[in-house]
Amino acid sequence: MSEVRVRFAPSPTGYLHIGGVRTALFNWLFARHEHGKFILRIEDTDQSRSTEEAIHAILDGMKWVGLDWDEGPFRQTERMDLYRQHAMKLLERQQAYWCICSAEELEARRKDALAKGLAPKYDGRCRTRGITDPTGEAALRFMASQEGQTVIEDLIKGQVVFDNSVVDDLIILRSNGYPTYNFSVVVDDALMGITHVIRGDDHLTNTPRQIPIFRALGYAVPRFGHLPMILGSDKTRLSKRHGATSILVYRDMGYLPEAMINYLVRLGWSYGDQEIFSVAELIEKFDFEHVQKSSAVFNPDKLLWVNAEYIKHSEPKRVATLLIPYLAKAGFGDERKYKEEAIEMELSGKPGEWMEKLVVAFRERSKTLVEMAAAAAPYVQREIVIEEEAAKKYLTPSIVPALTKLADGLASLSEFSHAAMEKAFKHVLEERGLKMGQLAQPVRVALTGRAASPGIFEVMDLLGRDRTVARLRQGVERARAGRP
């Protein structure tokens, strides 16, 4: 078997959405599994709808999920001469002809055919006119066979048969000189040596139009595989209301790229009962035999579960690195501060290790990085806002002596270790005759401003001695004033 060469060829007429990323992913995994090449091609010949902004969004989305390409990105607008040259070859071989039918004439005939219950295909009237040098507007049409069948041995759907009688003479070169989709993709796939065309099954009906063009140009026909659609929870085509938004929106919502890849590959592919896969495992195990023929249903709750699993089980260092922009975005500083000055806090050990501690403290209760950044607020803010209800309930005058004693005890410790903190805490509990919860909750509120947090010693460890003591003393003042 020759080297596998596949491509992902999005049109930059909008954002890169879930379906597009899944198509790219299946191509990428197949290429990596077969040690082949993955090619990125931007199909931007639709001048009225293609934008540079969309192109950048596609590239950013691909980079975010980690789908790197071996060749490209190619742009069709930079290959126009190639399409025209190949169109003229077909004309010279009498496998294409000029059509001078106006748009108005074509529309009238289409409506007439529909009224008669016929397929609205081009009636071929310019086939025999023998137009060699059109003077007005003219389009170039491919002369499709009207006899026999086109048989597709689809990698996913199995054998699919089309009667050639339903395929019309499609336009390959518009009157403005621009190629049509079905022609330009054939030229590109042929010249780029694409061996397998893996795409959504909404392109299945294009395949009997494209295969004859490959053959007419003298090129080998690639293998085709058409992926089933992704549906929303209501079993209708996936749309914005189901979550079919830009892949970059999921980045902004705090999803890990690895989680997105894992979830998307399971939308139409399976390997036993396994749910969570590393990228290396996916590359090793991926094949088309395990791609399902039926449509997959997009489930946002399942995606959230997968993301939470990745946050829990990924290396803390990896999650900490990803968390930095979300902390900055939440208003807790800028990225440069976190990267270069690492929180700007006097902490024991290396600052990077502190970020990993932060992740460990919150990974069990955070489903997204946005949630984790919000939960981490009291640990990265210089000044905290104490929740009114929490202060009213726990920071009362009666707790002042215990908080004061604890602050003094922590300040005098020779080392700020877990064991030393626990010993200081126990000493206050015994001296004041308090139960753990009676002291821990006021301390928690004084340190974080909230009634819920990780374990109290984890909290103090994250804050460090100086901020722990300072916040306890501020808590004493709040409690002494008896005000929320």
Side-chain angles (χ1 to χ4, degrees):
M1 183 178 177
S2 60
E3 180 187 58
V4 165
R5 291 175 63 83
V6 296
R7 47 74 162 179
F8 176 54
S11 298
T13 56
Y15 48 74
L16 179 61
H17 53 75
I18 290 291
V21 176
R22 189 193 66 166
T23 298
L25 172 60
F26 280 27
N27 276 278
W28 185 86
L29 287 173
F30 181 56
R32 297 293 174 258
H33 178 81
E34 297 290 343
H35 305 288
K37 294 291 189 295
F38 175 66
I39 297 156
L40 179 60
R41 185 171 76 223
I42 306 297
E43 299 189 338
D44 58 346
T45 55
D46 187 342
Q47 287 188 305
S48 63
R49 298 175 60 215
S50 297
T51 67
E52 288 297 318
E53 181 183 5
I55 291 174
H56 290 305
I58 289 169
L59 299 181
D60 289 345
M62 294 282 286
K63 290 173 184 174
W64 178 64
V65 293
L67 300 182
D68 57 330
W69 49 91
D70 302 299
E71 297 175 19
F74 298 102
R75 293 178 62 161
Q76 286 189 326
T77 48
E78 297 172 352
R79 300 166 60 82
M80 302 302 291
D81 288 345
L82 291 171
Y83 309 133
R84 291 175 184 132
Q85 289 167 13
H86 281 75
M88 291 304 107
K89 280 184 185 178
L90 292 177
L91 181 64
E92 291 164 9
R93 296 173 184 175
Q94 297 184 341
Q95 291 173 309
Y97 61 92
W98 291 110
C99 174
I100 58 172
C101 298
S102 69
E104 293 77 16
E105 289 173 328
L106 293 172
E107 179 61 18
R109 285 181 225 149
R110 189 187 73 83
K111 288 180 177 178
D112 184 55
L114 289 172
K116 294 176 180 177
L118 302 174
K121 56 182 284 189
Y122 179 63
D123 59 12
R125 67 180 58 194
C126 284
R127 261 191 180 216
T128 57
R129 286 183 174 177
I131 302 167
T132 57
D133 189 18
T135 54
E137 288 191 355
L140 194 64
R141 287 185 181 272
F142 178 68
M143 191 177 293
S145 172
Q146 298 298 298
E147 299 177 353
Q149 296 175 322
T150 296
V151 180
I152 303 162
E153 298 295 340
D154 195 279
L155 291 165
I156 297 161
K157 296 183 175 297
Q159 189 177 89
V160 184
V161 179
F162 290 90
D163 287 326
N164 291 337
S165 60
V166 302
V167 180
D168 61 359
D169 292 350
L170 62 88
I171 293 174
I172 58 174
L173 210 61
R174 296 187 181 94
S175 58
N176 63 3
Y178 270 71
T180 56
Y181 166 78
N182 278 303
F183 183 63
S184 58
V185 296
V186 168
V187 174
D188 283 336
D189 287 343
L191 295 182
M192 293 177 184
I194 302 301
T195 59
H196 298 74
V197 174
I198 314 302
R199 55 192 180 185
D201 62 6
D202 53 331
H203 286 285
L204 181 59
T205 55
N206 287 325
T207 310
R209 294 179 170 89
Q210 294 169 4
I211 288 176
I213 299 176
F214 277 104
R215 290 173 175 157
L217 288 169
Y219 292 120
V221 179
R223 294 289 308 277
F224 288 90
H226 292 89
L227 302 170
M229 291 174 61
I230 302 175
L231 304 178
S233 56
D234 57 0
K235 304 299 174 68
T236 61
R237 184 166 184 161
L238 194 65
S239 64
K240 281 186 179 180
R241 72 178 186 278
H242 301 117
T245 185
S246 167
I247 192 66
L248 295 177
V249 169
Y250 287 96
R251 177 196 64 186
D252 297 342
M253 290 165 63
Y255 286 83
L256 274 62
E258 303 95 316
M260 290 300 306
I261 287 295
N262 195 133
Y263 179 73
L264 289 177
V265 80
R266 294 286 285 109
L267 281 180
W269 178 87
S270 61
Y271 193 86
D273 295 326
Q274 188 171 345
E275 290 282 355
I276 304 298
F277 298 84
S278 68
V279 172
E281 284 180 304
L282 290 174
I283 291 172
E284 176 195 347
K285 300 178 185 303
F286 185 81
D287 60 32
F288 289 110
E289 289 181 13
H290 290 86
V291 175
Q292 65 189 40
K293 294 178 173 61
S294 57
S295 298
V297 176
F298 180 75
N299 184 339
D301 293 333
K302 183 65 176 289
L303 171 58
L304 194 59
W305 176 82
V306 171
N307 198 61
E309 289 297 300
Y310 268 85
I311 287 176
K312 285 179 194 174
H313 301 296
S314 295
E315 285 293 326
K317 185 175 182 180
R318 164 70 176 162
V319 180
T321 301
L322 294 173
L323 181 63
I324 287 171
Y326 298 90
L327 290 171
K329 192 173 181 181
F332 307 139
D334 57 49
E335 289 191 45
R336 181 178 176 184
K337 181 183 82 170
Y338 292 109
K339 289 176 180 176
E340 296 182 3
E341 301 174 30
I343 317 300
E344 288 186 340
M345 296 170 183
E346 294 180 8
L347 304 165
S348 58
K350 297 179 181 178
E353 293 176 358
W354 184 86
M355 283 290 291
E356 291 174 39
K357 279 187 196 175
L358 188 74
V359 167
V360 171
F362 289 102
R363 64 184 178 182
E364 292 292 332
R365 64 194 76 199
S366 300
K367 294 180 179 178
T368 68
L369 295 176
V370 169
E371 283 186 10
M372 185 176 283
Y379 308 89
V380 295
Q381 291 171 316
R382 290 204 176 278
E383 300 293 333
I384 60 169
V385 176
I386 296 179
E387 294 174 354
E388 185 175 338
E389 286 302 311
K392 187 175 181 181
K393 185 174 182 180
Y394 296 110
L395 294 183
T396 61
S398 63
I399 200 65
V400 167
L403 286 184
T404 302
K405 187 74 176 177
L406 180 63
D408 292 342
L410 293 172
S412 64
L413 292 176
S414 58
E415 62 171 355
F416 203 63
S417 65
H418 187 285
M421 287 186 276
E422 190 172 5
K423 186 176 180 181
F425 219 92
K426 241 181 224 185
H427 180 69
V428 175
L429 292 177
E430 291 171 358
E431 184 179 280
R432 306 303 303 178
L434 298 173
K435 294 180 180 178
M436 183 66 175
Q438 291 175 304
L439 181 58
Q441 279 302 91
V443 169
R444 181 172 280 111
V445 173
L447 296 182
T448 70
R450 303 169 180 179
S453 75
I456 198 64
F457 300 119
E458 278 185 276
V459 171
M460 291 193 286
D461 185 43
L462 282 169
L463 290 174
R465 182 208 305 267
D466 292 347
R467 286 191 303 151
T468 294
V469 172
R471 289 188 184 182
L472 283 175
R473 287 180 172 153
Q474 289 169 359
V476 167
E477 295 306 311
R478 288 288 296 274
R480 184 175 283 131
R483 59 178 179 78

